[in-house]
Amino acid sequence: MQGNMMDVQLTVPTILERIRTQYAGREVVSLLVAGRDEQGNPVPHKHRTTYGQVADRARRLAGGLLGLGLTKGDRVATLAVNSFRHLEAYLGVPSAGLVLHTVNIRLHPEQIAWILNHAEDRVLLIENVFAAMIPAIKAACPHLEHILVLGPTPQPIPLPGVRDYDTFVQESEPLTRYPELDERDAAAMCYTSGTTGNPKGVVYTHRSTVLHSLASAPKDGLNVGEADTVLPIVPMFHVNAWGLPYTCAMYGAKQVYAGVFADGRSVATLLQDEAVTITAGVPTIWMGLLAELDRAAQAGQPYGLGGLERLIVGGSAAPEAMIRAFQTRHGLSLLQAWGMTETHPLGTASGVPYGVDPSSDEGFALRAKQGRTVPLIELDVLDDQGARLPHDGKTMGRLIIRGPWVASSYFKGEGQSNFFDLDGQLWFDTGDIATLDERGYMHIQDRAKDLIKSGGEWISSVDLENAIMAHPAVNLCAVIAMDDPKWDERPLAVVTPKPGQSVTHDELISFIAPRFAKWWLPDATVLTDSIPIGATGKILKRELRDQYRSYSSTQGLVTPAAPDRSE
Amino acid sequence: MQGNMMDVQLTVPTILERIRTQYAGREVVSLLVAGRDEQGNPVPHKHRTTYGQVADRARRLAGGLLGLGLTKGDRVATLAVNSFRHLEAYLGVPSAGLVLHTVNIRLHPEQIAWILNHAEDRVLLIENVFAAMIPAIKAACPHLEHILVLGPTPQPIPLPGVRDYDTFVQESEPLTRYPELDERDAAAMCYTSGTTGNPKGVVYTHRSTVLHSLASAPKDGLNVGEADTVLPIVPMFHVNAWGLPYTCAMYGAKQVYAGVFADGRSVATLLQDEAVTITAGVPTIWMGLLAELDRAAQAGQPYGLGGLERLIVGGSAAPEAMIRAFQTRHGLSLLQAWGMTETHPLGTASGVPYGVDPSSDEGFALRAKQGRTVPLIELDVLDDQGARLPHDGKTMGRLIIRGPWVASSYFKGEGQSNFFDLDGQLWFDTGDIATLDERGYMHIQDRAKDLIKSGGEWISSVDLENAIMAHPAVNLCAVIAMDDPKWDERPLAVVTPKPGQSVTHDELISFIAPRFAKWWLPDATVLTDSIPIGATGKILKRELRDQYRSYSSTQGLVTPAAPDRSE
């Protein structure tokens, strides 16, 4: 028997209509680039607008794009920083039945062109600071018919098909009647970071966008409401900024965007001046913020962050030491969240269960895990033969996931082997190695490809890294496998010390030894000036492995030349 | 272009699996009836269990019901109070692919039988306190094959097809693999209260249940998380207890059930002893609680309700005076919510917008409205010709609603005229007269049939009632239309004074006159000992109108005999 409820579709225009009709007065604040100082550093200008104006401009953008002849399902790319204009595209593009394709601005121009071509984007919205790339992009991307430049440009743009975004929006008629949309229609797409092979496209639907917003908003997730002010430092080209622009709009929270200003001082100042209650970013950002908060506190001029309730950390694992440092030194609560481009992204959040003190040792240990699922997401761990493993908090296995905002395939059917059937249900293989415990806590041990296999047993590089990074002299650490004639692989720690500090292998090993089995401990430590970081802020372990694979513990502790940064 | 996200269905078993795997240790507390005291009043016994046990028993119930030969879509009725057993049915019955049909225990046995027959229920779960009705129900309901009695019975049940629920659950094998469910399959059904005509069935789907839980949980709605303890006083037979059993389970909140103990003292004690953070009920319940809190405070023995964050009030409008009284005298925050059986029920919640002090005059005035929509719900107001009216906070019109948890029809296709097409979209006509303002605040003025039409203009009985109920001597008030030779209809106030108090028509009119146009003021006031209340706690205005239709203001202020209670 079917029920008799209305078949109302879950679509992005319902979010746009909400800010227009219920939250029109709520603010959107953006740090834009006003110019450059004498050192060539960008100078910020604070821009304020409202949801009412954003909604009006988003509807004009939608009307304008359809006026260009775009039809349902056509892709509109953005190469843009976090700002109100990007938010307008988030809301306006899908509401026109088009697909918002956010491109990572940190990629090499050749990769950007490859992705624009692969997605067959017909329109590109490009931030003025990247305008110099336009001729090369135009030359490389035959599908691109129109380019709109976000923000003021120094002079008129003489290229055909290139025009000013603000003028385009102002001169377009607003779309007042949205096209009929099926909730399974495409709304947005992102490409995976592609640390191996070509990037792959993940196409989000209207349904997945709305469900993700609903499921991530409550208390034990992002905890977003109308009274909140949210600063997503996570870039808007990165998995829809973890869905925050949509979630905040749905619930009427004020949004603050930092644009290119993600350094510790800029972030701390923005958090304070806009009375931010919730912010979100990768661990690197919070390391920068922590250093700035420490500096200010030691200088006797602490920032006023009394209203800051929650710092969401994701993208890669937050070390327990960092979570403790924020809590104990600044009274600030970090909430770890986990997801992937393929999962829209929210899969888990690491609040403590009822009855556990978040600031107890058990609390901190749980908060350093990836956490428990948000509603409608299922996780499991499998062995190499594809059999389900026990959820005992100890047994490591390949982490698999399913849910209504998890990809069922990549764009154009690529990467099929990541999607598979288990007991009649479709699952996605995350490529992570993890444990699950009796209460559902998931703890990522490693990327499958980064796992160290020593004498047939698995060693988690992530656990060792987090432990080593808790040492006061360590800035950053990567633990990788080096070849070993006896054990096949053995762990090697690659460490950058804090400025002006040093540390020995023996000191590090004594520091972490109480927490690990003896055979887990790295055989050697390499001190280096820098560790290569990729475009999404993750350590490029592949490069480190290439460099140190044949390193031997018999070489002892040495400081080789810093490896090249590959960006 | 379609997106490529997994087609995972939104179903009740995902909620059941959540409490089983993530929240197994969280408590469910129920007040059961241990016996009767010398006056015949029920004596409470507090029962404690956990989500883990509830989940196990729910899966056994599911397995047992399928073992009886029930198949997908078959209806399982409950005639039960709020308790962990009812919660097991909430989770277990839909997870078996069956339809949970909650029947109003306050209806007349003939109406109950009519509804059981109309729904063609094959199984009935009946609370032990109603066991005396079993022979009559069996005789009247040929579709009923099995009756399970909830809670201990004084002696073995000798009737064929009647057995003990607990034994049935214990002896059944748990269902471990749920049937394949489409999210549009029926999950639960409720009948409308039917103040006019026969009751009509509304069939909720798995999709509407899950979406309702997701959308109602965030901050500006119910604000439910794992750390919360929730006491739904609203009966579980009334629109799925406003979805709370599902929402709380989805997010891991502890649930507390009061069973038959809904008087002020029982509720206050339970709120205090179980450290409840969120509770929900109709205004009548909160009037009782308020009186008890006042009494205790005056006696110098106030209850300890420091952790009580939110009292959700719905079912009928909460007078502003009551919202103010809780806030100012006890520091407790009432949140008005609005919905109907046909809307699952949550349509709006009346938090104040950002920037408005909830305890200011503006704040209280907004909180006394029905509020703004939760995500995915749309409202509009129409004139008599079906044209859309302005959202100006003044223009009254017929309130219409659409959304993914709003009914598209009644069971068996009855009441078609309530569902209609407007600009290509399906809407439901609520039968309410309301205003909408620029910020989206909805304010119900009346049921369409209760509206008073005086000289061609509309007068809201609800507004007058709320104003009159703010008078310190008034206990309850209903304003109804009396026939008038000149104006067609004129308002008449029917008032029950507080015990030992009295009030005159002139006193009431001077009290409310500053707030209304002169022609809105009632022409006369009738004092009475009691006002008839229906089975869902609403005033039976139809009876009052029948009684007083031909009353004339020239009769002055009189006190006629109390009308019969029609229950």
Side-chain angles (χ1 to χ4, degrees):
Chain A
M1 164 164 131
Q2 289 226 320
N4 44 11
M5 293 280 114
M6 287 182 184
D7 205 14
V8 172
Q9 298 295 294
L10 314 177
T11 64
V12 172
T14 61
I15 304 177
L16 173 50
E17 282 303 295
R18 247 178 114 67
I19 62 168
R20 196 177 72 81
T21 58
Q22 295 202 172
Y23 305 122
R26 208 78 179 95
E27 272 191 316
V28 177
V29 177
S30 311
L31 282 192
L32 305 178
V33 177
R36 302 267 163 186
D37 65 14
E38 287 165 8
Q39 286 79 43
N41 296 318
V43 175
H45 155 68
K46 197 177 269 185
H47 175 276
R48 310 189 88 88
T49 183
T50 62
Y51 273 144
Q53 290 172 293
V54 165
D56 177 61
R57 286 167 54 97
R59 302 212 301 177
R60 287 177 187 277
L61 172 63
L65 290 171
L66 293 179
L68 293 177
L70 271 70
T71 58
K72 199 164 157 179
D74 282 346
R75 269 77 72 199
V76 174
T78 65
L79 204 52
V81 303
N82 290 12
S83 84
F84 72 98
R85 291 191 184 92
H86 213 161
L87 178 61
E88 290 162 7
Y90 263 58
L91 295 165
V93 172
S95 293
L98 308 172
V99 182
L100 176 83
H101 171 206
T102 54
V103 182
N104 186 338
I105 59 177
R106 297 199 194 121
L107 295 175
H108 188 279
E110 271 181 32
Q111 286 176 296
I112 290 174
W114 186 93
I115 287 176
L116 293 174
N117 282 328
H118 190 267
E120 301 165 38
D121 297 305
R122 291 185 65 188
V123 176
L124 171 66
L125 276 52
I126 186 168
E127 200 79 31
N128 57 2
V129 290
F130 310 126
M133 292 169 64
I134 292 177
I137 287 176
K138 271 186 75 76
C141 302
H143 296 288
L144 262 192
E145 295 161 40
H146 305 276
I147 296 182
L148 302 173
V149 180
L150 307 174
T153 46
Q155 64 270 328
I157 304 157
L159 288 166
V162 182
R163 59 179 108 180
D164 175 60
Y165 169 86
D166 286 343
T167 311
F168 177 77
V169 162
Q170 282 151 26
E171 290 175 353
S172 297
E173 286 299 313
L175 186 71
T176 52
R177 187 164 174 130
Y178 302 106
E180 262 193 42
L181 292 167
D182 183 285
E183 64 190 39
R184 287 173 173 82
D185 286 337
M189 71 187 299
C190 279
Y191 277 74
T192 58
S193 49
T195 50
T196 53
N198 278 326
K200 296 183 198 72
V202 179
V203 185
Y204 305 132
T205 61
H206 285 267
R207 171 179 164 103
S208 68
T209 304
V210 168
L211 287 175
H212 184 271
S213 299
L214 290 172
S216 60
K219 239 175 196 173
D220 299 328
L222 306 174
N223 199 23
V224 173
E226 186 182 355
D228 284 299
T229 297
V230 180
L231 168 58
I233 306 274
V234 50
M236 293 174 85
F237 58 74
H238 189 59
V239 210
N240 285 359
W242 303 346
L244 280 164
Y246 292 120
T247 308
C248 292
M250 185 176 261
Y251 290 97
K254 171 179 164 184
Q255 299 193 35
V256 181
Y257 287 112
V260 302
F261 304 94
D263 61 287
R265 176 169 293 200
S266 298
V267 170
T269 306
L270 201 53
L271 290 171
Q272 172 185 266
D273 292 355
E274 295 300 325
V276 169
T277 59
I278 300 166
T279 179
V282 295
T284 317
I285 296 290
W286 303 140
M287 292 303 274
L289 177 65
L290 182 62
E292 171 64 9
L293 297 184
D294 285 345
R295 187 203 60 72
Q298 280 155 21
Q301 295 176 314
Y303 288 89
L305 303 181
L308 184 55
E309 289 167 14
R310 193 165 293 194
L311 295 89
I312 315 282
V313 54
S316 54
E320 185 180 326
M322 187 169 88
I323 301 173
R324 279 185 186 267
F326 269 101
Q327 193 79 59
T328 55
R329 299 213 291 268
H330 304 285
L332 293 174
S333 179
L334 254 72
L335 178 76
Q336 184 139 225
W338 169 85
M340 308 174 71
T341 303
E342 291 87 343
T343 68
H344 212 307
L346 195 59
T348 63
S350 201
V352 297
Y354 176 77
V356 174
D357 175 1
S359 293
S360 66
D361 283 347
E362 184 191 3
F364 280 121
L366 286 171
R367 290 164 66 187
K369 298 186 179 193
Q370 278 60 51
R372 291 173 297 171
T373 59
V374 291
L376 308 180
I377 292 291
E378 292 170 70
L379 296 176
D380 216 329
V381 278
L382 303 184
D383 68 14
D384 280 346
Q385 281 71 49
R388 292 176 198 258
L389 289 168
H391 296 190
D392 57 9
K394 282 175 281 179
T395 309
M396 287 190 229
R398 195 172 264 266
L399 181 70
I400 61 171
I401 185 169
R402 70 189 302 268
W405 52 88
V406 176
S408 58
S409 64
Y410 289 112
F411 187 48
K412 298 184 176 173
E414 292 160 1
Q416 294 261 19
S417 63
N418 296 98
F419 307 93
F420 66 102
D421 183 277
L422 182 68
D423 300 337
Q425 293 183 319
L426 184 66
W427 290 80
F428 170 67
D429 181 347
T430 64
D432 282 320
I433 301 297
T435 57
L436 281 169
D437 76 10
E438 301 79 359
R439 287 187 290 200
Y441 274 84
M442 190 269 284
H443 191 191
I444 289 186
Q445 305 295 318
D446 235 321
R447 291 295 292 168
K449 61 187 187 325
D450 295 336
L451 204 69
I452 300 156
K453 283 176 193 148
S454 177
E457 296 287 340
W458 286 351
I459 295 174
S460 161
S461 66
V462 175
D463 269 7
L464 290 169
E465 287 160 6
N466 285 337
I468 292 171
M469 280 197 279
H471 190 284
V474 171
N475 183 39
L476 197 58
C477 170
V479 173
I480 56 169
M482 56 181 174
D483 295 336
D484 187 275
K486 183 172 177 189
W487 303 106
D488 286 342
E489 292 181 353
R490 287 296 300 153
L492 169 74
V494 182
V495 166
T496 57
K498 286 194 178 149
Q501 305 214 38
S502 193
V503 65
T504 68
H505 174 70
D506 288 347
E507 282 168 3
L508 286 179
I509 295 304
S510 352
F511 181 71
I512 67 169
R515 299 182 53 179
F516 297 99
K518 205 167 175 189
W519 59 273
W520 270 51
L521 299 172
D523 283 1
T525 300
V526 172
L527 294 189
T528 172
D529 288 342
S530 80
I531 286 177
I533 306 284
T536 56
K538 290 179 187 167
I539 292 174
L540 296 173
K541 289 203 174 174
R542 196 174 34 152
E543 290 196 9
L544 286 178
R545 278 201 306 280
D546 290 347
Q547 191 174 1
Y548 294 110
R549 177 174 296 283
S550 54
Y551 191 88
S552 161
S553 58
T554 58
Q555 292 182 243
L557 183 66
V558 296
T559 307
D564 286 344
R565 268 186 78 116
S566 73
E567 285 190 71
Chain B
M1 162 164 130
Q2 288 225 320
N4 44 10
M5 292 280 115
M6 287 181 184
D7 206 14
V8 171
Q9 299 295 293
L10 313 177
T11 63
V12 172
T14 62
I15 304 177
L16 174 50
E17 282 303 295
R18 246 177 116 66
I19 62 168
R20 197 177 70 82
T21 57
Q22 296 203 170
Y23 305 122
R26 209 80 179 93
E27 272 190 317
V28 177
V29 177
S30 310
L31 282 191
L32 306 178
V33 176
R36 302 265 162 188
D37 65 14
E38 286 166 8
Q39 286 80 45
N41 296 317
V43 176
H45 155 68
K46 198 178 269 185
H47 177 276
R48 311 189 87 90
T49 182
T50 62
Y51 272 145
Q53 290 171 293
V54 165
D56 176 60
R57 285 167 53 97
R59 301 211 301 178
R60 288 177 187 277
L61 173 62
L65 289 170
L66 293 180
L68 291 178
L70 271 69
T71 59
K72 199 162 157 179
D74 280 347
R75 269 77 73 199
V76 174
T78 65
L79 204 51
V81 303
N82 290 11
S83 84
F84 72 99
R85 292 190 183 92
H86 212 161
L87 178 61
E88 290 162 6
Y90 264 57
L91 295 165
V93 172
S95 294
L98 308 172
V99 182
L100 174 85
H101 172 206
T102 54
V103 182
N104 188 338
I105 60 178
R106 297 199 193 121
L107 295 175
H108 189 278
E110 273 181 31
Q111 286 177 294
I112 290 174
W114 186 93
I115 287 176
L116 293 174
N117 281 329
H118 190 266
E120 299 163 40
D121 297 305
R122 292 186 64 188
V123 177
L124 170 65
L125 276 53
I126 186 169
E127 201 78 31
N128 56 2
V129 290
F130 310 126
M133 293 169 63
I134 292 177
I137 288 177
K138 271 186 76 77
C141 302
H143 296 288
L144 262 191
E145 296 160 40
H146 305 276
I147 295 182
L148 303 173
V149 180
L150 306 174
T153 45
Q155 63 271 330
I157 304 157
L159 288 165
V162 180
R163 59 180 108 180
D164 175 59
Y165 168 87
D166 286 343
T167 311
F168 177 77
V169 162
Q170 282 150 26
E171 291 175 353
S172 296
E173 286 299 313
L175 187 69
T176 53
R177 187 163 175 132
Y178 302 106
E180 262 195 41
L181 291 168
D182 182 287
E183 64 189 41
R184 287 174 174 80
D185 285 338
M189 71 187 298
C190 279
Y191 278 74
T192 58
S193 47
T195 48
T196 53
N198 278 327
K200 296 182 198 76
V202 179
V203 185
Y204 306 132
T205 61
H206 286 266
R207 172 181 164 100
S208 68
T209 304
V210 168
L211 287 175
H212 185 271
S213 299
L214 289 172
S216 60
K219 238 174 198 173
D220 299 329
L222 307 175
N223 200 24
V224 173
E226 186 182 354
D228 283 300
T229 297
V230 181
L231 168 59
I233 305 272
V234 49
M236 292 175 86
F237 59 75
H238 188 60
V239 210
N240 285 0
W242 303 347
L244 280 164
Y246 293 120
T247 307
C248 292
M250 184 176 260
Y251 290 97
K254 170 179 163 183
Q255 298 192 35
V256 181
Y257 287 112
V260 302
F261 303 94
D263 61 288
R265 177 169 293 202
S266 298
V267 171
T269 306
L270 202 52
L271 290 171
Q272 173 185 268
D273 292 354
E274 296 298 327
V276 169
T277 59
I278 300 166
T279 179
V282 295
T284 318
I285 296 292
W286 303 139
M287 293 302 274
L289 177 65
L290 183 62
E292 172 63 9
L293 297 184
D294 285 345
R295 186 204 59 73
Q298 280 155 23
Q301 296 176 312
Y303 288 89
L305 303 181
L308 184 55
E309 290 167 14
R310 193 165 294 192
L311 294 89
I312 315 282
V313 55
S316 56
E320 185 181 326
M322 187 169 88
I323 301 173
R324 278 185 187 267
F326 270 102
Q327 193 80 57
T328 55
R329 299 213 291 269
H330 304 285
L332 292 175
S333 180
L334 254 72
L335 178 76
Q336 182 138 227
W338 168 85
M340 309 173 71
T341 303
E342 291 86 343
T343 69
H344 210 307
L346 194 60
T348 63
S350 201
V352 297
Y354 177 78
V356 173
D357 173 0
S359 293
S360 65
D361 283 347
E362 185 191 3
F364 281 120
L366 286 171
R367 290 164 66 188
K369 299 186 180 193
Q370 279 60 48
R372 293 173 298 171
T373 58
V374 290
L376 308 180
I377 291 291
E378 292 171 69
L379 296 176
D380 215 331
V381 278
L382 303 184
D383 69 14
D384 280 346
Q385 281 71 48
R388 292 177 198 258
L389 289 168
H391 297 190
D392 57 9
K394 282 175 281 181
T395 310
M396 286 190 230
R398 195 171 264 267
L399 182 69
I400 62 172
I401 185 169
R402 73 189 300 269
W405 52 88
V406 175
S408 58
S409 64
Y410 289 112
F411 187 49
K412 298 184 176 173
E414 292 160 1
Q416 295 261 16
S417 64
N418 296 99
F419 307 93
F420 67 102
D421 183 277
L422 184 67
D423 300 337
Q425 293 182 318
L426 184 66
W427 289 80
F428 170 66
D429 182 345
T430 64
D432 282 321
I433 301 296
T435 58
L436 281 168
D437 76 10
E438 301 80 358
R439 288 186 290 199
Y441 273 84
M442 189 269 283
H443 192 190
I444 289 185
Q445 306 294 317
D446 235 321
R447 291 294 295 169
K449 62 188 186 328
D450 294 336
L451 206 68
I452 300 155
K453 286 179 191 143
S454 175
E457 297 287 339
W458 285 352
I459 295 173
S460 160
S461 66
V462 175
D463 270 7
L464 290 168
E465 286 160 5
N466 285 337
I468 291 171
M469 280 195 280
H471 190 282
V474 172
N475 184 38
L476 196 59
C477 170
V479 174
I480 56 168
M482 57 182 175
D483 296 335
D484 187 276
K486 182 170 177 191
W487 303 106
D488 286 341
E489 292 181 352
R490 286 296 301 153
L492 170 73
V494 182
V495 167
T496 56
K498 287 196 177 146
Q501 304 214 38
S502 193
V503 65
T504 68
H505 174 69
D506 290 345
E507 282 167 2
L508 285 179
I509 296 303
S510 353
F511 182 71
I512 68 168
R515 298 181 54 178
F516 297 99
K518 205 167 177 188
W519 59 273
W520 270 52
L521 299 172
D523 284 1
T525 300
V526 172
L527 294 190
T528 170
D529 288 340
S530 80
I531 287 178
I533 307 283
T536 58
K538 290 179 187 168
I539 292 173
L540 295 174
K541 289 202 174 176
R542 198 175 31 154
E543 290 195 11
L544 286 176
R545 277 201 306 279
D546 290 348
Q547 191 174 3
Y548 293 112
R549 176 175 297 283
S550 53
Y551 191 89
S552 161
S553 58
T554 57
Q555 291 183 241
L557 182 66
V558 295
T559 307
D564 284 343
R565 267 186 78 115
S566 71
E567 284 188 72

